[in-house]
């Protein structure tokens, strides 16, 4: 056998082996259904990313133990956004182009808003699992769907409560200078002016700030007895409350659902006591809720916060959609718009072509003795 013939034989063998590996890879992929999850696993939003991932992992395990998506196992492709919008867009493009996912679950307002036009252009379903900016709901009319309670709805709920009970009192707003903080603050201030003619005293801060004493002193000098707190991370919530206590602020703190995390209580301690906040209505005695909390506690030796619950609900809902309608992005989009109400842990989930975001009834909760307690739940 001459050298040329040997080279041809070796090339043929290489092609056969390469083809076999490609076939094996494609065969393995055909047995799975992939979903992308671009989460803030590092950076200022890392504690949210951790909670979201835990909810997703539990849901995927349950889906696969129940037979997957028509016999195909559900697989999550995680990418770290590092709590940054540019990194988030890069992560979105990566899971779409390389991993060929039809759905991407995302988090943080700046990242969802940055990815939304990319998702619409690429015809990829984008699920908001935790971001609160009211602008997300405004843009949820094509491939973006939002499972998280709307920050604008919480702002209106709080404004209505305040104007009804304290129509002549002064209130301040301390907010993070990002999409979630600014957009929600704008809705709150507009609603306050419309209902009771009050213009809140506004103070903002930059993300990752360690010191809030300047803003807190300004609020103290304003003579406001109440303050609506729109912090971003659990550490920022806690640092603000701790420094407020040091300065003897004496204000009644009011906040929104994002404050309810394990880390807020760990970092803030007694400084968080007596703060009241809005939250999606749920029944702690409901079987879905209690069973999930038991499962979560057994697995993580803790309790599940709003981010864990919303991401869990989201994956279970998406699995239901894909099983019934198919696994392409267009199938999923159609299914999300046309599926009857899905009963999740935090209540019903349903979308339509013109309203691709959930609406939640809200309740009041309060931090007492380092615990989150429901104030007005009615059976």
């Amino acid at each position: 056998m001459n050298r040329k013939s040997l080279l041809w034989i070796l090339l043929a063998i290489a092609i056969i082996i390469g083809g076999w590996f490609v076939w094996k890879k494609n065969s393995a992929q055909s047995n799975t259904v992939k979903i992308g999850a671009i989460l803030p696993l590092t950076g200022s939003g890392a504690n949210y990313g951790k909670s979201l991932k835990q909810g997703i992992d539990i849901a995927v395990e349950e889906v696969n133990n129940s037979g997957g998506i028509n016999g195909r196992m559900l697989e999550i492709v995680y990418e770290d956004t590092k709590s940054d919008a540019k990194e988030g867009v890069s992560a979105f493009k990566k899971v779409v182009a390389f991993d060929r996912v039809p759905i991407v679950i995302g988090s943080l307002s700046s990242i969802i808003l940055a990815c939304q036009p990319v998702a619409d252009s690429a015809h990829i379903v984008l699920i908001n699992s935790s971001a609160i900016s009211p602008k997300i709901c405004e843009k949820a009319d094509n491939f973006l769907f939002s499972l998280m309670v709307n920050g604008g709805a919480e702002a209106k709920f709080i404004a209505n409560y305040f104007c009804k009970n304290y129509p002549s009192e002064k209130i301040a707003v301390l907010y993070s200078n990002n999409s979630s903080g600014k957009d929600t603050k704008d809705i709150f201030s507009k609603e306050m002016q419309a209902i009771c003619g009050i213009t809140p005293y506004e103070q903002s801060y930059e993300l990752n700030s360690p010191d809030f004493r300047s803003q807190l002193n300004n609020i103290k000098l304003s003579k406001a007895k109440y303050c609506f707190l729109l912090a971003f991370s659990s550490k920022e919530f806690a640092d603000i409350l701790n420094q407020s206590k040091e300065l003897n602020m004496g204000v009644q703190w009011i906040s929104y659902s994002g404050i309810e995390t394990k880390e807020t209580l760990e970092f803030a301690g007694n400084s968080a006591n007596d703060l009241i906040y809005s939250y999606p209505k749920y029944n702690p005695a409901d079987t879905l809720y209690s069973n999930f909390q038991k499962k979560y506690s057994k697995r993580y030796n803790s309790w599940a916060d709003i981010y864990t619950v919303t991401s869990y609900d989201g994956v279970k809902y998406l699995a239901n959609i894909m099983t019934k309608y198919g696994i392409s992005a267009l199938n999923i989009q159609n299914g999300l718009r046309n599926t009857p109400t899905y009963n999740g842990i935090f209540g019903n989930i349903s979308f339509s072509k013109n309203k691709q975001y959930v609406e939640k009834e809200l309740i009041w909760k309060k931090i007492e003795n380092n615990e989150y307690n429901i104030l007005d739940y009615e059976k």
Side-chain angles (χ1 to χ4, degrees):
M1 181 182 295
N2 59 35
R3 181 180 179 84
K4 186 175 181 180
S5 297
L6 179 60
L7 288 173
W8 277 110
I9 291 171
L10 291 174
L11 179 60
I13 293 172
I15 291 172
I16 292 170
I17 293 173
W20 182 81
F21 278 112
V22 170
W23 174 83
K24 287 290 288 182
K25 180 180 179 182
N26 289 338
S27 177
Q29 289 178 339
S30 68
N31 291 324
T32 62
V33 175
K34 292 184 177 181
I35 291 178
I38 56 172
L39 305 180
L41 301 175
T42 57
S44 55
N47 67 298
Y48 301 140
K50 178 182 177 182
S51 292
L52 291 162
K53 186 176 184 300
Q54 289 172 343
I56 291 171
D57 287 344
I58 292 174
V60 169
E61 183 179 283
E62 290 184 5
V63 169
N64 288 336
N65 287 342
S66 298
I69 311 299
N70 293 323
R72 298 169 66 177
M73 295 295 97
L74 183 59
E75 178 184 347
I76 305 296
V77 180
Y78 287 107
E79 288 292 327
D80 182 11
T81 65
K82 303 175 184 177
S83 306
D84 179 80
K86 289 183 179 179
E87 293 283 351
V89 172
S90 296
F92 181 92
K93 291 179 177 178
K94 184 267 177 186
V95 295
V96 170
F98 183 78
D99 299 292
R100 313 289 292 180
V101 301
I103 314 170
V104 178
I105 298 171
S107 172
L108 303 188
S109 294
S110 61
I111 293 173
I112 295 295
L113 291 170
C115 288
Q116 172 264 324
V118 184
D120 283 352
S121 177
H123 289 190
I124 298 295
V125 174
L126 174 60
I127 302 293
N128 168 38
S129 60
S130 69
I132 68 163
S133 169
K135 290 183 178 178
I136 292 172
C137 295
E138 295 173 10
K139 295 179 180 296
D141 60 1
N142 196 358
F143 281 87
L144 170 60
F145 294 80
S146 182
L147 293 170
M148 189 64 174
V149 60
N150 180 2
E154 293 200 65
K156 290 179 179 179
F157 178 78
I158 292 168
N160 275 272
Y161 166 85
F162 187 84
C163 286
K164 179 181 178 181
N165 293 280
Y166 312 104
S168 59
E169 294 288 357
K170 191 169 187 178
I171 187 169
V173 186
L174 178 55
Y175 64 96
S176 55
N177 192 24
N178 64 347
S179 297
S180 60
K182 289 186 295 185
D183 298 343
T184 305
K185 179 270 301 181
D186 287 344
I187 296 289
F188 178 74
S189 295
K190 183 178 180 180
E191 195 76 3
M192 288 291 297
Q193 291 164 3
I195 299 173
C196 54
I198 294 176
T199 300
Y201 177 73
E202 299 178 358
Q203 288 284 287
S204 66
Y205 71 88
E206 298 302 317
L207 294 185
N208 302 312
S209 296
D211 192 337
F212 306 90
R213 291 175 180 84
S214 175
Q215 292 92 334
L216 292 170
N217 269 315
N218 288 337
I219 292 171
K220 189 174 182 179
L221 291 172
S222 78
K223 305 297 183 182
K225 295 182 180 180
Y226 301 84
C227 189
F228 181 25
L229 178 55
L230 284 162
F232 173 66
S233 70
S234 296
K235 187 176 187 306
E236 289 167 4
F237 272 116
D239 286 346
I240 289 168
L241 294 172
N242 284 328
Q243 290 170 29
S244 168
K245 187 175 182 180
E246 292 171 10
L247 295 171
N248 295 314
M249 288 281 290
V251 300
Q252 170 62 61
W253 287 102
I254 305 170
S255 196
Y256 71 105
S257 57
I259 196 170
E260 189 177 300
T261 68
K262 299 176 286 291
E263 291 79 8
T264 299
L265 293 184
E266 289 172 3
F267 297 148
N270 292 331
S271 299
N273 283 335
D274 297 322
L275 180 145
I276 62 172
Y277 60 101
S278 54
Y279 204 77
K281 186 174 182 178
Y282 69 102
N283 182 350
D286 180 77
T287 303
L288 277 176
Y289 180 85
S290 59
N291 285 348
F292 178 73
Q293 287 291 359
K294 289 176 184 176
K295 180 175 293 188
Y296 184 88
S297 177
K298 183 177 180 180
R299 183 162 180 166
Y300 296 108
N301 193 32
S302 186
W303 53 271
D305 60 27
I306 187 172
Y307 303 102
T308 305
V309 172
T310 303
S311 62
Y312 170 86
D313 270 350
V315 172
K316 295 296 290 284
Y317 181 37
L318 290 169
N320 181 283
I321 295 293
M322 290 188 289
T323 299
K324 183 176 180 180
Y325 287 88
I327 62 173
S328 75
L330 288 174
N331 289 151
I332 296 163
Q333 181 198 46
N334 180 55
L336 289 170
R337 289 175 173 174
N338 292 285
T339 296
T341 299
Y342 177 83
N343 185 29
I345 293 173
F346 274 167
N348 296 333
I349 301 173
S350 63
F351 299 113
S352 67
K353 186 174 182 179
N354 299 318
K355 193 175 69 177
Q356 297 182 172
Y357 55 90
V358 297
E359 292 183 327
K360 300 287 188 182
E361 185 177 352
L362 297 169
I363 58 172
W364 283 106
K365 298 190 72 174
K366 184 178 183 179
I367 301 176
E368 300 174 299
N369 300 317
N370 294 327
E371 292 182 349
Y372 298 112
N373 296 317
I374 294 174
L375 283 184
D376 64 348
Y377 175 70
E378 297 178 2
K379 294 184 179 179

